Amino acid sequence: MKTTKIIVSAQDIGGCNVLIPIINELKTDNLIQLVLLFSDGSCEIAKRNGLDYIDITKLQYDELLNLITNESPNLIFTSTSTGECCEKIITLIGKELNIKTVAIIDHGAHYKHRFSDVNTENLKYTPDYILVTDQRMKNDMIKYGFD
């Protein structure tokens, strides 16, 4: 059987913490290859959890594009952050390369800002799929125009 390669990315501590149990579960599947791309606070969480990762904190857009192109993943899975963050850039790259993108929201606030440029609600970085933690969050997101 063919291996599925998944890029997993986080920047903030909270987002990384939500990804850790998912990463640990995915690591048990021999048909899944994970490439972990972390920046800023998530690097410390990855270290504490003994994960092998690539520190992308200082990488620019073109460097990330080359890295993701070379990895040729089947899926990109990110946490979410507000402001300028690696998850937004990686999601945008995934869209440009026609790679399916998934994000998980770890906190029930600022939904539109998690997927938009700073000081806008343009939703430029909305992935193909968004995972939420509960029904209330799902209802809130539908109310704010996500489908």
Side-chain angles (χ1 to χ4, degrees), residues 10 25 43:
E25 182 65 28
C43 293

Side-chain angles (χ1 to χ4, degrees), residues 3 27 32 35 49 59-60 79 106 108 110 123-125 133 142:
T3 300
K27 283 175 31 178
I32 295 176
V35 177
N49 284 275
L59 296 187
Q60 299 300 313
S79 61
D106 64 301
H110 310 293
L123 301 177
K124 178 179 176 180
Y125 308 98
T133 57
I142 291 169

